[in-house]
Amino acid sequence: MTTRVRPSSKRCAVIGGSGFLGRHLVEKLLERGYSVAVFDIRQSYELPGVTFYQGDLCDKEALRPALKDVPLVFHCASPAPASDDRALFQRVNVQGTCTVIQACTELGVQKLVLTSSASVVYEGADIKNGTEDIPYTAKPMDYYTETKIEQEKLVLQACDKEGGLLTVAIRPHGIFGPRDPQLVPILVDTARRGKMKFIIGDGTNLVDFTFVENVVHGHILAAEHLRPESPLCGKPYHITNDEPIRFWDFMSKVLVGLGYAAPRYHLPYMLVYGLAMLLWLLAMLLRPLVAFKPTFTPMRVALAGTHHYYSCEAAKRDMGYKPLVSLTEGISRTVESYPHLRHGAP
Ligand SMILES: NC(=O)C1=CN([C@@H]2O[C@H](COP(=O)(O)OP(=O)(O)OC[C@H]3O[C@@H](n4cnc5c(N)ncnc54)[C@H](OP(=O)(O)O)[C@@H]3O)[C@@H](O)[C@H]2O)C=CC1
Ligand SMILES: CC(C)=CCC[C@@H](C)[C@H]1CC[C@H]2C3=C(CC[C@]12C)[C@@]1(C)CCC(=O)C[C@@H]1CC3
């Protein structure tokens, strides 16, 4: 007779645990007494309490050892949104997520928490205090969003309350914090190239930026409240700082905090959006001859010039979520963590 090891409830796996959010999640889980298996295509650190498994999540055989005897799996791996490689997004976010679900089911994992994105409902028009019942956009603005929608559907549909895998999706928005490879580095790079002088539109559009530790808190609460009888089963939840801020005020606070000038001059939104569309078409047409990646993509211009903030009332109600770190504190901790990106730093 074979005896199956009963997975310890303080064991979990983090797929994408080498990334920005993943590593913060791993650190908090360790603090809370979990032992963690990290599965990622690259290893970026070593920590006591973490077992590292390197591999591609599309490869079930590579995944299996990381998920064996683990009751709880967090899936926060994805190619970076800045990539415009449709085949890669399709392979990793869609096929790879099917593989993750299959592996979890075959290995008897009890809970799967997916990091989705609030952008699954965003199509370039204003969203004010959006709730989770807004339908998925039928017109995703990039391949990243297109495949995040498919990924979220797959995970939520896999939820089986009758003794099978339980699933939930967390939808963060505008994650920022120490070690973020995207937001602050893109902003500083744009400023260093002298392109952060302009505000797109009238500058009053409100947006959610969410400090990474609040996103981590939302993930852990979701995992701990996910039970067959709980309302979380098969549902998506927005996790934000619950403090929408003007996009350009946020950018200015970070820039000024790092010693750069805040943008001052206004440009009409439709003009910049039109130019970004033209540039994008040009990039497509010239792709066989020259590869260039415009900074001002239509998606980015839309994000910079429209309202997009979301309600996190459902997370408060169903899992007792409350942001732990305010926007002001989050911005100052973030700015302090980037001495090498300060104005004048070598
Ligand atoms: N950052 C944000 O503002 C937001 C992020 N999200 C979601 O949060 C999650 C985490 O994002 P973030 O931490 O910013 O991203 P990161 O790119 O920092 O982390 C993702 C990690 O997954 C790894 N990875 C990519 N492809 C594979 C693969 N095929 N197999 C195994 N590992 C892989 C990446 O490796 P490598 O770096 O080598 O590609 C990286 O280590 C993502 O799902 C993202 O969609 C949602 C909303 C907002
Ligand atoms: C709220 C949210 C979803 C943020 C996600 C992160 C990125 C999409 C942004 C981080 C830095 C932003 C940025 C721009 C667009 C959106 C970001 C890339 C601009 C390119 C918008 C146009 C400009 O004038 C320069 C901006 C630099 C920073």
Side-chain angles (χ1 to χ4, degrees):
M1 197 178 84
T2 51
T3 41
R4 190 161 181 182
V5 182
R6 193 176 139 74
S8 148
S9 61
K10 281 284 187 180
R11 248 187 86 65
C12 66
V14 178
I15 303 173
S18 283
F20 164 50
L21 172 65
R23 181 169 170 185
H24 280 277
L25 177 59
V26 169
E27 287 169 352
K28 182 54 75 180
L29 288 163
L30 293 172
E31 233 178 87
R32 291 175 63 107
Y34 283 84
S35 64
V36 186
V38 166
F39 184 89
D40 203 294
I41 205 143
R42 63 185 166 95
Q43 176 165 11
S44 60
Y45 59 92
E46 277 180 36
L47 277 175
V50 175
T51 314
F52 200 89
Y53 298 84
Q54 191 164 358
D56 185 333
L57 62 85
C58 302
D59 175 356
K60 195 160 59 175
E61 291 317 307
L63 254 181
R64 288 180 74 95
L67 308 193
K68 192 169 174 289
D69 300 327
V70 163
L72 167 62
V73 173
F74 295 93
H75 174 10
C76 53
S78 167
S83 156
D84 58 356
D85 185 339
R86 185 179 205 171
L88 177 71
F89 282 122
Q90 186 67 29
R91 191 179 73 79
V92 178
N93 286 351
V94 183
Q95 280 138 248
T97 297
C98 286
T99 306
V100 169
I101 295 168
Q102 272 172 21
C104 286
T105 310
E106 289 170 15
L107 291 163
V109 170
Q110 291 157 20
K111 303 178 188 185
L112 173 62
V113 179
L114 171 73
T115 314
S116 179
S117 167
S119 302
V120 295
V121 298
Y122 181 71
E123 53 191 28
D126 289 339
I127 295 182
K128 298 180 181 177
N129 209 32
T131 49
E132 287 83 349
D133 52 9
I134 302 179
Y136 293 115
T137 172
K139 297 178 285 178
M141 294 185 76
D142 56 16
Y143 303 135
Y144 168 76
T145 310
E146 184 179 298
T147 55
K148 290 298 282 184
I149 295 172
E150 290 309 308
Q151 178 192 55
E152 186 186 280
K153 287 182 184 169
L154 285 167
V155 168
L156 297 183
Q157 283 162 7
C159 189
D160 173 7
K161 293 191 211 179
E162 311 302 323
L165 178 67
L166 299 179
T167 65
V168 62
I170 296 300
R171 291 179 177 175
H173 198 51
I175 311 177
F176 73 101
R179 299 194 298 253
D180 154 46
Q182 232 203 160
L183 199 152
V184 176
I186 294 176
L187 187 57
V188 167
D189 178 59
T190 316
R192 285 181 172 168
R193 287 189 290 120
K195 291 187 176 169
M196 276 311 289
K197 295 190 172 58
F198 301 101
I199 293 171
I200 299 173
D202 66 6
T204 61
N205 55 306
L206 293 174
V207 169
D208 278 319
F209 287 96
T210 314
F211 189 62
V212 63
E213 288 181 18
N214 294 327
V215 179
V216 163
H217 182 50
H219 279 70
I220 296 176
L221 282 176
E224 294 182 347
H225 283 75
L226 183 60
R227 285 185 287 271
E229 70 283 3
S230 75
L232 278 77
C233 293
K235 296 267 176 55
Y237 286 92
H238 295 148
I239 290 293
T240 72
N241 242 77
D242 207 17
E243 287 179 87
I245 178 172
R246 288 179 174 193
F247 180 92
W248 294 99
D249 284 354
F250 181 88
M251 295 295 147
S252 298
K253 280 176 196 283
V254 176
L255 284 172
V256 171
L258 289 168
Y260 301 87
R264 287 198 304 164
Y265 310 107
H266 289 263
L267 286 174
Y269 175 72
M270 285 315 290
L271 174 77
V272 184
Y273 189 79
L275 287 174
M277 283 299 275
L278 276 178
L279 217 58
W280 182 76
L281 283 173
L282 203 66
M284 288 288 164
L285 287 173
L286 295 180
R287 194 178 252 180
L289 304 171
V290 269
F292 80 96
K293 261 190 176 181
T295 313
F296 294 77
T297 63
M299 175 67 158
R300 285 184 175 182
V301 172
L303 286 171
T306 60
H307 294 272
H308 40 105
Y309 60 95
Y310 299 85
S311 161
C312 57
E313 287 308 309
K316 290 182 187 168
R317 182 192 65 218
D318 293 347
M319 49 176 118
Y321 172 73
K322 189 167 149 295
L324 300 176
V325 181
S326 70
L327 211 48
T328 305
E329 190 190 335
I331 294 173
S332 89
R333 281 169 58 183
T334 304
V335 164
E336 276 166 28
S337 75
Y338 285 102
H340 56 292
L341 293 185
R342 292 196 78 80
H343 183 56

